[in-house]
Amino acid sequence: MSQFWYSDETATRLVEEVIHEAGKGGRIACLSAPSVYQKLKQGVVEGSDGVSAVVLEYDRRFATYGQEFIFYDYNEPLALPEDVAPQSFDFVLADPPYLSEECLNKVAQTVKYLAKGKVLLCTGAIMEEHAENLMGLKICSFLPKHNKNLANEFRCFTNYPSNLMS
């Protein structure tokens, strides 16, 4: 149940990106990315009041967010509540819980189910080829940082030309 939290600067930058790309009235899914969801809900980033968001997360401590919390186990990538319709999110930000092809394969199934548009994936740089093959994602120049330094180089990948991330 350990969580790897993005630095405040990284969380803010990611929230700016999702708000900009989802657009006013956009629906956002934060898949295994509670620090981005929390930053979004703080309302400190301009435009955050103009979007709606949910957090899909295994850690039930986030159930305190009520209806915006969706329990998510990557081992069952499509075990989602009935009211979560296919392609119902304008923007999906995903941060797979493990750095493995098996995990990314399953998370990709969930992302493809949820996303009707833009996808931003945050994971280890070593997953670049796999992210491209699975979801057509391209690496961004932006380097996300965590509160605790991780041993693996972390990167962002998108399926759209990102002004803020490139």
Side-chain angles (χ1 to χ4, degrees):
M1 285 299 194
S2 66
Q3 294 284 344
F4 296 97
W5 295 94
Y6 291 116
S7 69
D8 190 60
E9 178 183 288
T10 291
T12 299
R13 184 85 186 269
L14 292 173
V15 167
E16 289 170 349
E17 177 75 0
V18 300
I19 290 170
H20 178 263
E21 294 297 335
K24 189 159 182 68
R27 292 192 70 217
I28 299 165
C30 297
L31 181 60
S32 300
S35 61
V36 174
Y37 174 80
Q38 284 188 331
K39 178 58 74 176
L40 181 61
K41 298 312 285 182
Q42 287 173 1
V44 297
V45 176
E46 185 177 341
S48 59
D49 59 342
V51 297
S52 63
V54 298
V55 60
L56 294 93
E57 175 60 51
Y58 186 81
D59 188 339
R60 292 188 188 271
R61 291 177 290 184
F62 297 99
T64 59
Y65 288 109
Q67 300 237 352
E68 293 181 354
F69 169 80
I70 299 170
F71 177 76
Y72 174 71
D73 181 350
Y74 84 91
N75 289 301
E76 299 180 57
L78 299 178
L80 299 168
E82 288 181 16
D83 62 342
V84 178
Q87 287 81 49
S88 57
F89 290 92
D90 301 296
F91 196 100
V92 176
L93 184 143
D95 184 349
Y98 298 103
L99 191 59
S100 71
E101 287 187 17
E102 179 257 349
C103 181
L104 188 55
N105 284 337
K106 291 178 179 180
V107 167
Q109 289 177 46
T110 309
V111 167
K112 289 175 184 178
Y113 179 85
L114 296 173
K116 67 176 171 182
K118 298 174 180 173
V119 173
L120 183 125
L121 173 72
C122 300
T123 190
I126 63 168
M127 302 304 286
E128 179 177 6
E129 184 178 334
H130 208 55
E132 184 168 358
N133 291 340
L134 281 172
M135 296 180 276
L137 305 179
K138 303 287 185 203
I139 196 165
C140 299
S141 61
F142 177 71
L143 296 172
K145 303 274 190 267
H146 292 82
N147 282 339
K148 296 178 182 175
N149 290 331
L150 301 181
N152 301 304
E153 181 186 357
F154 236 67
R155 296 303 294 261
C156 292
F157 305 85
T158 63
N159 67 344
Y160 60 92
S162 170
N163 295 328
L164 297 174
M165 303 296 283
S166 300

